Amino acid sequence: MAYDDGNIFAKILRGEVPCKKVYEDEYALAFHDIRPLAPVHVLVIPKGPYVSLDDMSATAAPEVIGAFFRAVGETARILGVIDSGYRILANIGSNAHQEVMHFHVHIFAGAPLGPMLRKI
């Protein structure tokens, strides 16, 4: 799948759409989700045009990948959720219900989150 630079996260990165920023560096931007599913729900997005983790892991330089995941950890520290615990989640593709075709990681925290998936 080709990257669409008209997606909402690309618009946020260009400053066309505002966000409630938590963290930013040259590789990533973290901001609060506009429809939170937990008391703490923050998205971390890479600044590069990556559709998914598959895309990023196949095409980005190792230092870019490492810096992105370092930004995820730094965001969790800024949010103060290290001691109480948090969950990270990345939906990749249609079966996982990826809604925005720009790779992103969700950070959920602030309450007991329950089991990861329901039994089927």
Side-chain angles (χ1 to χ4, degrees):
M1 171 182 292
Y3 183 80
D4 173 11
D5 68 356
N7 74 67
I8 188 67
F9 294 164
K11 291 177 182 180
I12 289 171
L13 286 170
R14 289 192 301 267
E16 297 169 7
V17 173
C19 70
K20 187 177 173 189
K21 190 183 306 184
V22 174
Y23 174 80
E24 183 174 19
D25 65 19
E26 66 183 289
Y27 299 100
L29 172 65
F31 54 92
H32 290 274
D33 194 293
I34 62 169
R35 292 181 309 230
L37 300 176
V40 174
H41 185 175
V42 168
L43 301 172
V44 185
I45 62 174
K47 290 195 171 175
Y50 308 108
V51 173
S52 65
L53 178 60
D54 179 65
D55 180 21
M56 186 177 188
S57 66
T59 62
E63 58 272 14
V64 171
I65 296 167
F68 173 75
F69 283 100
R70 180 163 299 155
V72 173
E74 181 61 23
T75 300
R77 286 186 287 282
I78 289 167
L79 292 168
V81 299
I82 301 299
D83 291 338
S84 59
Y86 63 99
R87 177 176 295 157
I88 62 172
L89 173 76
N91 299 314
I92 299 160
S94 60
N95 279 354
H97 197 64
Q98 182 178 0
E99 294 179 6
V100 178
M101 296 302 137
H102 182 114
F103 176 54
H104 56 286
V105 171
H106 298 257
I107 298 176
F108 299 106
L113 299 173
M116 185 64 162
L117 296 171
R118 65 179 171 83
K119 293 181 181 180
I120 52 174

